[in-house]
Amino acid sequence: TCGYVFPALTGTPLLPFPAGNGAAGTLFLQDWKEYLGTCLTSAMLAGTQYQIQFKVSSLSIDQLGNACPSGINNTLGPVNITIFGANNCSSLPINGTDCPSSLSPAWSALGVISYTPSLSWSTVTITFTPSSNINTIMLGPPCVLPPSYPNGTSACIPYFIFDDLTLNSSSAFGLVDINPIGNYC
């Protein structure tokens, strides 16, 4: 946390974070979309199946970053958390508040997972197979949000928190066979 915890998280069941001392958050609004992005250390190869697994939670915040009294806006329906990809690391940073593929043709949606906003941590997995080599990814809201999601002028706005992100080929997420030998302690 580096000595700072987002004010909306104080007093919620979202602390402590599931993995480590920090998490990242994004806004899911009709007129303002935020994403987590990174340049990969090695390219995801076209035609290979991959998975990104992460923990996600959500709550409603006011314009100052404090939790709204209800904690989570119960009128929000499920939303497709989306992973976008680009073949070039120069695609980051991206400047804008709209969907990556709307801002630049370099970005395309790779996969989605439907998530129902909740004031508790859930582990979700998006499985996808890129059609071209991918060197850069972004994770966040879909290009078109459900109508129940507000715009930035609303009193309470949806904030999604991500932690413990793991990206790898799907085969690396497979089951591991363990052969027991010796005596158990």
Side-chain angles (χ1 to χ4, degrees), residues 144-159:
V144 178
L145 284 164
S148 61
Y149 282 72
N151 62 35
T153 60
S154 297
C156 290
I157 54 180
Y159 191 71

Side-chain angles (χ1 to χ4, degrees), residues 38-157:
T38 189
C39 185
L40 302 175
T41 56
S42 61
M44 291 189 294
L45 303 177
T48 301
Q49 188 177 61
Y50 292 88
Q51 287 181 214
I52 185 166
Q53 186 175 73
F54 52 92
K55 297 191 184 321
V56 61
S57 62
S58 55
L59 70 160
S60 291
I61 62 172
D62 65 19
Q63 298 293 332
L64 299 175
N66 298 305
C68 284
S70 64
I72 182 68
N73 186 340
N74 293 324
T75 63
L76 297 176
V79 65
N80 284 335
I81 297 174
T82 306
I83 183 169
F84 293 88
N87 64 0
N88 191 318
C89 286
S90 65
S91 298
L92 282 179
I94 195 164
N95 187 15
T97 58
D98 202 358
C99 171
S101 58
S102 298
L103 297 170
S104 167
W107 291 97
S108 62
L110 300 174
V112 302
I113 187 73
S114 180
Y115 168 74
T116 301
S118 172
L119 190 60
S120 62
W121 290 103
S122 299
T123 300
V124 297
T125 302
I126 302 174
T127 302
F128 59 95
T129 303
S131 58
S132 63
N133 291 351
I134 301 294
N135 287 291
T136 308
I137 59 169
M138 284 204 292
L139 185 68
C143 292
V144 178
L145 284 164
S148 61
Y149 282 72
N151 62 35
T153 60
S154 297
C156 290
I157 54 180

Side-chain angles (χ1 to χ4, degrees), residues 162-180:
F162 299 92
D163 195 12
D164 199 19
L165 291 89
T166 303
L167 172 67
N168 212 330
S169 64
S170 290
S171 61
F173 282 91
L175 298 175
V176 176
D177 291 329
I178 299 174
N179 293 325

Side-chain angles (χ1 to χ4, degrees), residues 4-16:
Y4 175 80
V5 175
F6 193 59
L9 296 176
T10 305
T12 71
L14 303 179
L15 292 176

